[in-house]
Amino acid sequence: MKSIEGAEMEKNIDLKKIFFRAMEYWPMFVVFFILALVLAFISFETTIPLYKINARLLISESRESNVSGSVGATQGSLPGITLGRQSNFDNQVIVLTSRKQIEKTLKQLDFEISYYREDFFKTQEIYKNSPFRVIIDSSEVKPEDMSFRIKFLSKDQFELTVDGDKEYAQKVKFFEKVNNPRFSITIVPVEEKIQSSGYENNTYRFTINSMDYLIAYYQSKVNLEKVQYGSSIVDMWILENSTGKGVDFLNKLALASVNYTLERKNTIATNTITFIEKQLIGVADSLGEAGNLLEEFRSRNEVMDVSYQGQMIVTQSSELENQKATLNVRLDYYTYLRDYIQTNRNVQDLISPSSMGVDDPILGQMIGQLSTLNAEKSALKFNSSAENPNVIRIEHSINTLKNSILETLKSVVATTQLSINDINNRLYSLSNEIKKLPKTEQMLLGIERRFKMNNDMYTFLMQKRAEAQLAKASNLPDNEIIEEAIVFGRVAPDKKRIIILVIIGGILLPAVIVFLMIFFNDRVLEVEDVKEITTLPIIGQVPFEKFKGSKSLNHDQPNTLLAESFRSIRASLGYYANQKQNKTLLVTSTLPGEGKSFCAINIGHSFAQLGKKTILVEFDMRRPSLSRYSGLEDNGVGLSSYYTGETPMEKIIFTETGIPNFHLILAGQIPPNPSELIAGEETLKLIEYLQKEYDILILDTPPLALVADAHLLTSFTDVNILAVRHNVTPKPLLKASLRDEKVTKIQRLGILLNGIPFQRREYSYQYGYDLKSKYFAKNG
């Protein structure tokens, strides 16, 4: 239980740490939020408004029979590949948004010229509210896909410019014809709109659109969605800037979808009627001729009727002739069907066998399959090219099925011909019977037979034509408009979406960036980071302060948090080698720029304030910086001149530092071999001399992770201080440096955390003195 509570406490502390770290980047949040607001305002003001316009349609399944079979290619399948069968609903949805339907719709609308008004931030389409109309003289030249700009100079004069042609600008008046090699137009006012439009204070544009552009534009805009799963009611909608224009377009397109199936059914019925009427022409002529001949024969021979035997022969002959006529109609239909398929005409307009009295189930099934495959191919072609593999496979299946139909036609034609031959033989037998009758009766019987045969054939065709006409008159569209187009509301610019984007861009995005910066920051930020790496004692923490000028000593501001932090460090150092009156301190770091020299000089100053005679020696002869921190002029006299013997030991000490009890030895000129110089006997002599003369000796050394200079001096020291700087020292490098064998052998090594921002001291109170020498405490 304890461990769980401890884990939760640690987690809460971690979240708190992350929060406080993130708060250091609050200016980023402000900048991002302001930037997001500005971008949101620009987006809202410059985005052209779009409105959703919706119409609702009922798309019914076709009433045509869809029988399945196994002749040729199986319905819904191709050789070697099984395809999902497309319903008539899916096909109609594709046809509804096809180029052909869009073009048919646009030809009924006046969309050739689009009119716009330029507002401050955007251009708004005004459709039928334009104060003027453009009349194109297409007899001379018909411009397409050209945009013009109209800027009114007065109530009846304006400047006309052409987009893309910077040199063209012409002053024009209403009713004045503008001729150009590329266009010929006249602009006239619209009386009912111009009075209240304030047109003279606005700038307008108009675009002359080609039909190809309009078709492609609206074909990409139309969307179809089922109202619910399993329903054949669809919502057809578009996004349009001009609501009136969108409503007009959708209503026309919905009406075109209703008329599509009706026109298709009427086309098939019309083709059937036309075929029958062609047959009727010949039969009517033969019937008229036979009727005249019968009337003439009867009047000439005064024979009104035939004998009972003759009537029986006529009845049998009439039945056979009717059967023969029906078979001949079938032969004509088979010939029509064969020619239709061989010429690759549109199968959608094919006359069905049943409408011609052909009750052949196999042939009817194959024609149904052919119609289905052709519908699938048409649907695929709306959304893909002819090279699409599925289109190619369906083409192959259609060709296979057509060959099967042609082979079937050969078989049924042969069978029909045999039946006709059989009837002819039976009629021949009846003819022999007729020859036994008297001569006059034979002739009358033959004429009546011919008349009755043509009359029955004519009656049959008239009946079929009447059935086709009745079917055409009773045809109803498969689709129905449930709701005409209405405006559902504005969808762009979307205020909710913009607010969400502001929240994302102004709050969440900087939060993510800050989190990633914190998460991937592998530098030391606070005491806990050091404690995770090492168990070495933390001697103290130095707050970050900015200084004016070059000095960074704290003697001129004794009551600051910085000065108090070095007093705390001084107290901590007093516990090391406390039995010794004279102490030698070494200050180093892992990398340059971690503030070791700054810390060394301020530690020295802190000890000097106690009356301790203190000296700071700059052993960092590779990158000296004490002259800059102390404000002393580096005249080249220092350790390097002592090592070369140019200057005696006593002469390299700067005693006039401006701080009582605080002396300095600078590095001097940068030598080529600092490590060899430090390792020499002269270093021992210098340190022994300074340890006798001063209470506190501080050695400022180069970074121990880069060179070995600091390691050479640790044998002389009582305390070794490793300066680690907030947000500068890499944790992996610090960890590697402390695990180095040379560093692990250093005795009395402590960590000094430098450059901690005041607000980062979340977990403790900071103490100091105010100007009246009173204590104060401030929560970090």
PDB file of all heavy atoms in Angstrom, residues 161-183:
ATOM      1  N   THR A 161     -11.847  45.526 -68.008  1.00  0.00           N
ATOM      2  CA  THR A 161     -10.525  44.906 -68.129  1.00  0.00           C
ATOM      3  C   THR A 161     -10.695  43.399 -68.252  1.00  0.00           C
ATOM      4  O   THR A 161     -11.727  42.839 -67.849  1.00  0.00           O
ATOM      5  CB  THR A 161      -9.632  45.226 -66.927  1.00  0.00           C
ATOM      6  OG1 THR A 161     -10.291  44.803 -65.728  1.00  0.00           O
ATOM      7  CG2 THR A 161      -9.344  46.715 -66.837  1.00  0.00           C
ATOM      8  N   VAL A 162      -9.675  42.754 -68.800  1.00  0.00           N
ATOM      9  CA  VAL A 162      -9.695  41.302 -69.014  1.00  0.00           C
ATOM     10  C   VAL A 162      -8.623  40.671 -68.147  1.00  0.00           C
ATOM     11  O   VAL A 162      -7.468  41.114 -68.154  1.00  0.00           O
ATOM     12  CB  VAL A 162      -9.454  40.950 -70.501  1.00  0.00           C
ATOM     13  CG1 VAL A 162      -9.491  39.434 -70.704  1.00  0.00           C
ATOM     14  CG2 VAL A 162     -10.472  41.640 -71.388  1.00  0.00           C
ATOM     15  N   ASP A 163      -9.002  39.662 -67.382  1.00  0.00           N
ATOM     16  CA  ASP A 163      -8.019  38.941 -66.567  1.00  0.00           C
ATOM     17  C   ASP A 163      -6.989  38.284 -67.465  1.00  0.00           C
ATOM     18  O   ASP A 163      -7.335  37.643 -68.462  1.00  0.00           O
ATOM     19  CB  ASP A 163      -8.712  37.874 -65.720  1.00  0.00           C
ATOM     20  CG  ASP A 163      -9.506  38.488 -64.581  1.00  0.00           C
ATOM     21  OD1 ASP A 163      -9.416  39.713 -64.399  1.00  0.00           O
ATOM     22  OD2 ASP A 163     -10.219  37.742 -63.880  1.00  0.00           O
ATOM     23  N   GLY A 164      -5.737  38.431 -67.085  1.00  0.00           N
ATOM     24  CA  GLY A 164      -4.660  37.835 -67.864  1.00  0.00           C
ATOM     25  C   GLY A 164      -4.150  38.729 -68.978  1.00  0.00           C
ATOM     26  O   GLY A 164      -3.194  38.365 -69.665  1.00  0.00           O
ATOM     27  N   ASP A 165      -4.788  39.871 -69.166  1.00  0.00           N
ATOM     28  CA  ASP A 165      -4.346  40.810 -70.196  1.00  0.00           C
ATOM     29  C   ASP A 165      -4.212  42.186 -69.540  1.00  0.00           C
ATOM     30  O   ASP A 165      -5.166  42.963 -69.462  1.00  0.00           O
ATOM     31  CB  ASP A 165      -5.346  40.866 -71.350  1.00  0.00           C
ATOM     32  CG  ASP A 165      -4.809  41.668 -72.541  1.00  0.00           C
ATOM     33  OD1 ASP A 165      -3.758  42.324 -72.387  1.00  0.00           O
ATOM     34  OD2 ASP A 165      -5.447  41.643 -73.611  1.00  0.00           O
ATOM     35  N   LYS A 166      -3.033  42.471 -69.032  1.00  0.00           N
ATOM     36  CA  LYS A 166      -2.808  43.712 -68.298  1.00  0.00           C
ATOM     37  C   LYS A 166      -2.881  44.940 -69.191  1.00  0.00           C
ATOM     38  O   LYS A 166      -3.111  46.050 -68.713  1.00  0.00           O
ATOM     39  CB  LYS A 166      -1.445  43.660 -67.593  1.00  0.00           C
ATOM     40  CG  LYS A 166      -1.356  42.573 -66.525  1.00  0.00           C
ATOM     41  CD  LYS A 166      -0.001  42.579 -65.859  1.00  0.00           C
ATOM     42  CE  LYS A 166       0.084  41.503 -64.787  1.00  0.00           C
ATOM     43  NZ  LYS A 166       1.410  41.484 -64.123  1.00  0.00           N
ATOM     44  N   GLU A 167      -2.673  44.745 -70.481  1.00  0.00           N
ATOM     45  CA  GLU A 167      -2.656  45.898 -71.390  1.00  0.00           C
ATOM     46  C   GLU A 167      -4.060  46.311 -71.815  1.00  0.00           C
ATOM     47  O   GLU A 167      -4.266  47.442 -72.262  1.00  0.00           O
ATOM     48  CB  GLU A 167      -1.819  45.555 -72.628  1.00  0.00           C
ATOM     49  CG  GLU A 167      -0.348  45.268 -72.307  1.00  0.00           C
ATOM     50  CD  GLU A 167       0.443  44.947 -73.562  1.00  0.00           C
ATOM     51  OE1 GLU A 167      -0.174  44.907 -74.660  1.00  0.00           O
ATOM     52  OE2 GLU A 167       1.673  44.725 -73.450  1.00  0.00           O
ATOM     53  N   TYR A 168      -5.037  45.409 -71.687  1.00  0.00           N
ATOM     54  CA  TYR A 168      -6.378  45.743 -72.161  1.00  0.00           C
ATOM     55  C   TYR A 168      -7.169  46.450 -71.062  1.00  0.00           C
ATOM     56  O   TYR A 168      -7.350  45.930 -69.962  1.00  0.00           O
ATOM     57  CB  TYR A 168      -7.132  44.492 -72.593  1.00  0.00           C
ATOM     58  CG  TYR A 168      -8.519  44.803 -73.133  1.00  0.00           C
ATOM     59  CD1 TYR A 168      -8.700  45.133 -74.467  1.00  0.00           C
ATOM     60  CD2 TYR A 168      -9.627  44.803 -72.293  1.00  0.00           C
ATOM     61  CE1 TYR A 168      -9.958  45.449 -74.967  1.00  0.00           C
ATOM     62  CE2 TYR A 168     -10.892  45.110 -72.778  1.00  0.00           C
ATOM     63  CZ  TYR A 168     -11.049  45.434 -74.121  1.00  0.00           C
ATOM     64  OH  TYR A 168     -12.288  45.760 -74.606  1.00  0.00           O
ATOM     65  N   ALA A 169      -7.620  47.660 -71.335  1.00  0.00           N
ATOM     66  CA  ALA A 169      -8.497  48.433 -70.444  1.00  0.00           C
ATOM     67  C   ALA A 169      -9.249  49.431 -71.305  1.00  0.00           C
ATOM     68  O   ALA A 169      -8.635  50.244 -72.012  1.00  0.00           O
ATOM     69  CB  ALA A 169      -7.684  49.132 -69.356  1.00  0.00           C
ATOM     70  N   GLN A 170     -10.564  49.339 -71.269  1.00  0.00           N
ATOM     71  CA  GLN A 170     -11.378  50.172 -72.146  1.00  0.00           C
ATOM     72  C   GLN A 170     -12.549  50.771 -71.373  1.00  0.00           C
ATOM     73  O   GLN A 170     -13.203  50.097 -70.585  1.00  0.00           O
ATOM     74  CB  GLN A 170     -11.903  49.328 -73.322  1.00  0.00           C
ATOM     75  CG  GLN A 170     -12.671  50.132 -74.353  1.00  0.00           C
ATOM     76  CD  GLN A 170     -13.065  49.284 -75.543  1.00  0.00           C
ATOM     77  OE1 GLN A 170     -12.590  48.169 -75.701  1.00  0.00           O
ATOM     78  NE2 GLN A 170     -13.927  49.819 -76.397  1.00  0.00           N
ATOM     79  N   LYS A 171     -12.786  52.068 -71.609  1.00  0.00           N
ATOM     80  CA  LYS A 171     -13.934  52.737 -71.011  1.00  0.00           C
ATOM     81  C   LYS A 171     -15.153  52.470 -71.887  1.00  0.00           C
ATOM     82  O   LYS A 171     -15.141  52.735 -73.086  1.00  0.00           O
ATOM     83  CB  LYS A 171     -13.679  54.234 -70.878  1.00  0.00           C
ATOM     84  CG  LYS A 171     -12.599  54.566 -69.849  1.00  0.00           C
ATOM     85  CD  LYS A 171     -12.395  56.058 -69.718  1.00  0.00           C
ATOM     86  CE  LYS A 171     -11.323  56.371 -68.674  1.00  0.00           C
ATOM     87  NZ  LYS A 171     -11.107  57.836 -68.528  1.00  0.00           N
ATOM     88  N   VAL A 172     -16.220  51.956 -71.252  1.00  0.00           N
ATOM     89  CA  VAL A 172     -17.395  51.496 -71.989  1.00  0.00           C
ATOM     90  C   VAL A 172     -18.640  52.049 -71.314  1.00  0.00           C
ATOM     91  O   VAL A 172     -18.664  52.279 -70.094  1.00  0.00           O
ATOM     92  CB  VAL A 172     -17.445  49.943 -72.023  1.00  0.00           C
ATOM     93  CG1 VAL A 172     -18.610  49.461 -72.881  1.00  0.00           C
ATOM     94  CG2 VAL A 172     -16.136  49.367 -72.540  1.00  0.00           C
ATOM     95  N   LYS A 173     -19.700  52.240 -72.108  1.00  0.00           N
ATOM     96  CA  LYS A 173     -21.004  52.639 -71.587  1.00  0.00           C
ATOM     97  C   LYS A 173     -22.002  51.509 -71.821  1.00  0.00           C
ATOM     98  O   LYS A 173     -21.782  50.608 -72.641  1.00  0.00           O
ATOM     99  CB  LYS A 173     -21.483  53.915 -72.265  1.00  0.00           C
ATOM    100  CG  LYS A 173     -20.670  55.149 -71.903  1.00  0.00           C
ATOM    101  CD  LYS A 173     -21.279  56.395 -72.525  1.00  0.00           C
ATOM    102  CE  LYS A 173     -20.516  57.644 -72.092  1.00  0.00           C
ATOM    103  NZ  LYS A 173     -21.117  58.881 -72.661  1.00  0.00           N
ATOM    104  N   PHE A 174     -23.116  51.567 -71.074  1.00  0.00           N
ATOM    105  CA  PHE A 174     -24.179  50.595 -71.291  1.00  0.00           C
ATOM    106  C   PHE A 174     -24.667  50.654 -72.737  1.00  0.00           C
ATOM    107  O   PHE A 174     -24.723  51.728 -73.355  1.00  0.00           O
ATOM    108  CB  PHE A 174     -25.352  50.872 -70.355  1.00  0.00           C
ATOM    109  CG  PHE A 174     -25.104  50.443 -68.929  1.00  0.00           C
ATOM    110  CD1 PHE A 174     -25.333  51.308 -67.870  1.00  0.00           C
ATOM    111  CD2 PHE A 174     -24.632  49.170 -68.640  1.00  0.00           C
ATOM    112  CE1 PHE A 174     -25.112  50.919 -66.560  1.00  0.00           C
ATOM    113  CE2 PHE A 174     -24.408  48.773 -67.332  1.00  0.00           C
ATOM    114  CZ  PHE A 174     -24.641  49.647 -66.293  1.00  0.00           C
ATOM    115  N   PHE A 175     -25.022  49.492 -73.282  1.00  0.00           N
ATOM    116  CA  PHE A 175     -25.535  49.314 -74.640  1.00  0.00           C
ATOM    117  C   PHE A 175     -24.464  49.534 -75.715  1.00  0.00           C
ATOM    118  O   PHE A 175     -24.764  49.453 -76.901  1.00  0.00           O
ATOM    119  CB  PHE A 175     -26.727  50.259 -74.924  1.00  0.00           C
ATOM    120  CG  PHE A 175     -27.888  50.046 -74.001  1.00  0.00           C
ATOM    121  CD1 PHE A 175     -28.135  50.934 -72.957  1.00  0.00           C
ATOM    122  CD2 PHE A 175     -28.720  48.954 -74.148  1.00  0.00           C
ATOM    123  CE1 PHE A 175     -29.193  50.744 -72.095  1.00  0.00           C
ATOM    124  CE2 PHE A 175     -29.796  48.750 -73.290  1.00  0.00           C
ATOM    125  CZ  PHE A 175     -30.033  49.654 -72.261  1.00  0.00           C
ATOM    126  N   GLU A 176     -23.241  49.789 -75.318  1.00  0.00           N
ATOM    127  CA  GLU A 176     -22.163  49.987 -76.288  1.00  0.00           C
ATOM    128  C   GLU A 176     -21.512  48.636 -76.583  1.00  0.00           C
ATOM    129  O   GLU A 176     -21.088  47.927 -75.670  1.00  0.00           O
ATOM    130  CB  GLU A 176     -21.127  50.966 -75.743  1.00  0.00           C
ATOM    131  CG  GLU A 176     -19.972  51.249 -76.712  1.00  0.00           C
ATOM    132  CD  GLU A 176     -18.947  52.211 -76.125  1.00  0.00           C
ATOM    133  OE1 GLU A 176     -19.283  52.931 -75.158  1.00  0.00           O
ATOM    134  OE2 GLU A 176     -17.808  52.226 -76.625  1.00  0.00           O
ATOM    135  N   LYS A 177     -21.426  48.308 -77.862  1.00  0.00           N
ATOM    136  CA  LYS A 177     -20.859  47.026 -78.254  1.00  0.00           C
ATOM    137  C   LYS A 177     -19.337  47.077 -78.169  1.00  0.00           C
ATOM    138  O   LYS A 177     -18.704  48.015 -78.662  1.00  0.00           O
ATOM    139  CB  LYS A 177     -21.301  46.662 -79.667  1.00  0.00           C
ATOM    140  CG  LYS A 177     -20.930  45.231 -80.066  1.00  0.00           C
ATOM    141  CD  LYS A 177     -21.542  44.858 -81.405  1.00  0.00           C
ATOM    142  CE  LYS A 177     -21.243  43.416 -81.773  1.00  0.00           C
ATOM    143  NZ  LYS A 177     -21.837  43.038 -83.060  1.00  0.00           N
ATOM    144  N   VAL A 178     -18.758  46.070 -77.539  1.00  0.00           N
ATOM    145  CA  VAL A 178     -17.309  45.993 -77.372  1.00  0.00           C
ATOM    146  C   VAL A 178     -16.795  44.897 -78.296  1.00  0.00           C
ATOM    147  O   VAL A 178     -17.116  43.718 -78.113  1.00  0.00           O
ATOM    148  CB  VAL A 178     -16.930  45.682 -75.914  1.00  0.00           C
ATOM    149  CG1 VAL A 178     -15.411  45.666 -75.759  1.00  0.00           C
ATOM    150  CG2 VAL A 178     -17.554  46.696 -74.970  1.00  0.00           C
ATOM    151  N   ASN A 179     -16.013  45.298 -79.274  1.00  0.00           N
ATOM    152  CA  ASN A 179     -15.466  44.353 -80.244  1.00  0.00           C
ATOM    153  C   ASN A 179     -13.990  44.131 -79.979  1.00  0.00           C
ATOM    154  O   ASN A 179     -13.239  45.082 -79.724  1.00  0.00           O
ATOM    155  CB  ASN A 179     -15.662  44.860 -81.673  1.00  0.00           C
ATOM    156  CG  ASN A 179     -17.116  44.788 -82.104  1.00  0.00           C
ATOM    157  OD1 ASN A 179     -17.779  43.778 -81.930  1.00  0.00           O
ATOM    158  ND2 ASN A 179     -17.619  45.894 -82.664  1.00  0.00           N
ATOM    159  N   ASN A 180     -13.594  42.878 -80.059  1.00  0.00           N
ATOM    160  CA  ASN A 180     -12.205  42.486 -79.834  1.00  0.00           C
ATOM    161  C   ASN A 180     -11.983  41.206 -80.622  1.00  0.00           C
ATOM    162  O   ASN A 180     -12.931  40.443 -80.842  1.00  0.00           O
ATOM    163  CB  ASN A 180     -11.960  42.266 -78.331  1.00  0.00           C
ATOM    164  CG  ASN A 180     -10.496  42.017 -78.008  1.00  0.00           C
ATOM    165  OD1 ASN A 180     -10.001  40.899 -78.110  1.00  0.00           O
ATOM    166  ND2 ASN A 180      -9.803  43.076 -77.604  1.00  0.00           N
ATOM    167  N   PRO A 181     -10.756  40.955 -81.069  1.00  0.00           N
ATOM    168  CA  PRO A 181     -10.515  39.698 -81.804  1.00  0.00           C
ATOM    169  C   PRO A 181     -10.917  38.447 -81.022  1.00  0.00           C
ATOM    170  O   PRO A 181     -11.209  37.410 -81.609  1.00  0.00           O
ATOM    171  CB  PRO A 181      -9.005  39.725 -82.055  1.00  0.00           C
ATOM    172  CG  PRO A 181      -8.645  41.179 -82.064  1.00  0.00           C
ATOM    173  CD  PRO A 181      -9.559  41.816 -81.069  1.00  0.00           C
ATOM    174  N   ARG A 182     -10.963  38.556 -79.688  1.00  0.00           N
ATOM    175  CA  ARG A 182     -11.280  37.387 -78.872  1.00  0.00           C
ATOM    176  C   ARG A 182     -12.717  37.373 -78.387  1.00  0.00           C
ATOM    177  O   ARG A 182     -13.197  36.332 -77.927  1.00  0.00           O
ATOM    178  CB  ARG A 182     -10.340  37.318 -77.659  1.00  0.00           C
ATOM    179  CG  ARG A 182      -8.891  37.009 -78.025  1.00  0.00           C
ATOM    180  CD  ARG A 182      -8.053  36.841 -76.774  1.00  0.00           C
ATOM    181  NE  ARG A 182      -7.965  38.098 -76.024  1.00  0.00           N
ATOM    182  CZ  ARG A 182      -7.573  38.186 -74.755  1.00  0.00           C
ATOM    183  NH1 ARG A 182      -7.261  37.098 -74.100  1.00  0.00           N
ATOM    184  NH2 ARG A 182      -7.504  39.360 -74.160  1.00  0.00           N
ATOM    185  N   PHE A 183     -13.427  38.491 -78.438  1.00  0.00           N
ATOM    186  CA  PHE A 183     -14.796  38.524 -77.951  1.00  0.00           C
ATOM    187  C   PHE A 183     -15.538  39.707 -78.552  1.00  0.00           C
ATOM    188  O   PHE A 183     -14.928  40.686 -79.024  1.00  0.00           O
ATOM    189  CB  PHE A 183     -14.832  38.614 -76.421  1.00  0.00           C
ATOM    190  CG  PHE A 183     -14.116  39.807 -75.852  1.00  0.00           C
ATOM    191  CD1 PHE A 183     -14.756  41.030 -75.690  1.00  0.00           C
ATOM    192  CD2 PHE A 183     -12.777  39.697 -75.473  1.00  0.00           C
ATOM    193  CE1 PHE A 183     -14.087  42.120 -75.176  1.00  0.00           C
ATOM    194  CE2 PHE A 183     -12.098  40.793 -74.959  1.00  0.00           C
ATOM    195  CZ  PHE A 183     -12.759  42.010 -74.814  1.00  0.00           C
TER     196      PHE A 183
END
